[in-house]
Amino acid sequence: MSAPRKPGETPAATAGVAPEASGGAPALPEPIASTEPPPEGEARSRRVGLALALLAPVLWSSNGMFIKIMLMAPLPLAGLRSLIAGAVLLPWVRREHLCADWRYAPLIGSAVIMHWLFIAATRYTTAANAIALQSTSPAWVFLFLSIIAGRVAWRQVPPIGIILCGIAVILSEPSSDTAALGNLLGLLSGVGFAVCSFLIGRMHLPAIGLV
């Protein structure tokens, strides 16, 4: 003896027949969350990426210490650092990564000037001030993009305001003549860094080629 049907239940459903077999809408499968671990290659790439992301600020922060130690003028020191960096990256550079095009001249020029300004700033002021002032580049990029677009992205104004407050604090601190010059050079290096970032976004080269 079969069980009584519930109100609105079709005979096919009570007989254990799938809804699509009785002419109803097809049933959607339940989503199944994947519990499989990522492939070994992908997991290794993530670990390498995380390690490099952690290493980058450590190396960047060590700039000040080594610039203070090296008894060289800012311009030769900038050239020496660039030469060492080029030698380290050379094994990863391929012919297709390189491109001789005059349109890249502004990017190269701004990178050279930014590099020299940062080293000079670190010589004349504290390393912390030089790094902080160079890190104001997002504010200058925001200014460039606002001028080009002809409008302001207001949701980005609060963090830019915090950056400007930090600049005001650094520039208003009591300092000697050389420290004041170093702070100014650090601020200009931030502008140069912003120009580099702005131009890189419009380049069409692999990352290693841009470096």
Side-chain angles (χ1 to χ4, degrees):
M1 186 174 180
S2 60
R5 296 196 306 269
K6 295 180 181 179
E9 192 175 33
T10 63
T14 57
V17 181
E20 57 269 26
S22 61
L28 297 176
E30 289 288 336
I32 300 175
S34 176
T35 58
E36 296 181 1
E40 180 60 28
E42 182 179 347
R44 183 176 180 277
S45 296
R46 289 180 180 178
R47 290 194 296 268
V48 171
L50 179 60
L52 293 176
L54 294 176
L55 182 61
V58 174
L59 294 176
W60 190 257
S61 300
S62 66
N63 271 325
M65 178 182 67
F66 289 108
I67 291 173
K68 295 285 189 184
I69 292 175
M70 298 290 290
L71 300 177
M72 294 178 65
L75 189 57
L77 182 55
L80 177 61
R81 283 163 48 94
S82 299
L83 181 62
I84 295 173
V88 171
L89 294 174
L90 187 60
W92 286 273
V93 177
R94 299 291 180 266
R95 186 183 300 274
E96 60 270 18
H97 294 158
L98 304 176
C99 179
D101 194 324
W102 65 269
R103 290 175 297 177
Y104 300 119
L107 173 61
I108 297 173
S110 61
V112 171
I113 294 173
M114 177 268 294
H115 198 182
W116 172 75
L117 286 171
F118 173 72
I119 292 177
T122 307
R123 279 293 174 84
Y124 292 120
T125 188
T126 63
N129 279 10
I131 294 173
L133 289 170
Q134 189 184 49
S135 299
T136 60
S137 58
W140 302 111
V141 172
F142 172 78
L143 178 62
F144 299 158
L145 293 177
S146 298
I147 293 174
I148 291 175
R151 58 186 178 85
V152 176
W154 292 106
R155 65 179 180 178
Q156 297 180 3
V157 169
I160 297 302
I162 294 174
I163 293 176
L164 295 178
C165 289
I167 295 175
V169 170
I170 293 175
L171 296 182
S172 64
E173 66 180 0
S175 58
S176 63
D177 292 339
T178 57
L181 174 61
N183 289 339
L184 177 60
L185 294 175
L187 191 60
L188 292 177
S189 74
V191 177
F193 200 175
V195 173
C196 287
S197 303
F198 181 79
L199 294 176
I200 285 175
R202 283 150 179 78
M203 301 291 103
H204 300 287
L205 278 176
I208 191 69
L210 286 173
V211 173

